[in-house]
Amino acid sequence: MKIICLLLTLLLTLCAAVEDYSNNFYVILSSSKFYFNYRHSSNALIFYRYLKEMGIPDDQIVLMLPENHACNPRNKYGGQLFVTLDHKDNFYCDDIEVDFKGDDMGFDAILNLLRGRYPLDYPESKKLKTNKDSRLFIYFNGHGGENFFKIQDTDVLQSEDLGNVFAEMWQKSLYKETLM
């Protein structure tokens, strides 16, 4: 929880330096499926709620959750996600727009989202609409280690993959600044 607070403080500092949020984009990803990884989706939803409270519209946020932990049969608080033991704040609410979930958020989907590679019939609501002046914040939460990040326990995203994606994004003028 202390790390989340530190990251939120950093995000607030970055946002405060920018008067106009209209060209800021946010990718919030929890990569761990299975109910025992509930905490990863909860952490992603902390960021999501913070952005919504700051007035960031959903068309500037891409939220990726591997499964609906709130509705898992093991969750004794069905339809709700809590991050503290006092169960004060439910982080899973009616106005959440999950853009990618389950099988939609594999290795290729994540990398193609960042590089702007979409099939012709791809929904506009799932596209990251950045340009050369965009500021991009990317938050990945899940399991990994030095130079790799696991996607739903089946795919592995290597640091080299991300390096290639950022190089392609820079060549395509898809961002001005990024924080991952």
Side-chain angles (χ1 to χ4, degrees), residues 106-169:
F107 176 86
D108 289 329
I110 293 166
L111 296 183
N112 287 336
L113 168 75
L114 295 172
R115 337 182 240 231
R117 293 185 188 176
Y118 309 108
L120 292 176
D121 60 344
Y122 207 69
E124 289 294 315
S125 63
K126 290 187 172 192
K127 292 180 180 179
L128 193 58
K129 299 174 185 171
T130 59
N131 59 46
K132 66 179 180 63
D133 295 318
S134 297
R135 289 181 171 85
L136 181 60
F137 175 83
I138 302 169
Y139 176 73
F140 282 9
N141 189 331
H143 296 281
E146 188 173 335
N147 298 322
F148 76 95
F149 185 74
K150 290 173 66 177
I151 308 295
Q152 296 201 47
D153 290 331
T154 55
D155 292 329
V156 175
L157 185 62
Q158 302 287 337
S159 59
E160 185 177 327
D161 299 322
L162 284 172
N164 291 335
V165 165
F166 283 118
E168 181 178 335
M169 290 172 68

Side-chain angles (χ1 to χ4, degrees), residues 11-21 135:
L11 181 59
L12 177 61
T13 303
L14 291 171
C15 289
V18 179
E19 292 179 18
D20 179 18
Y21 300 110
R135 289 181 171 85

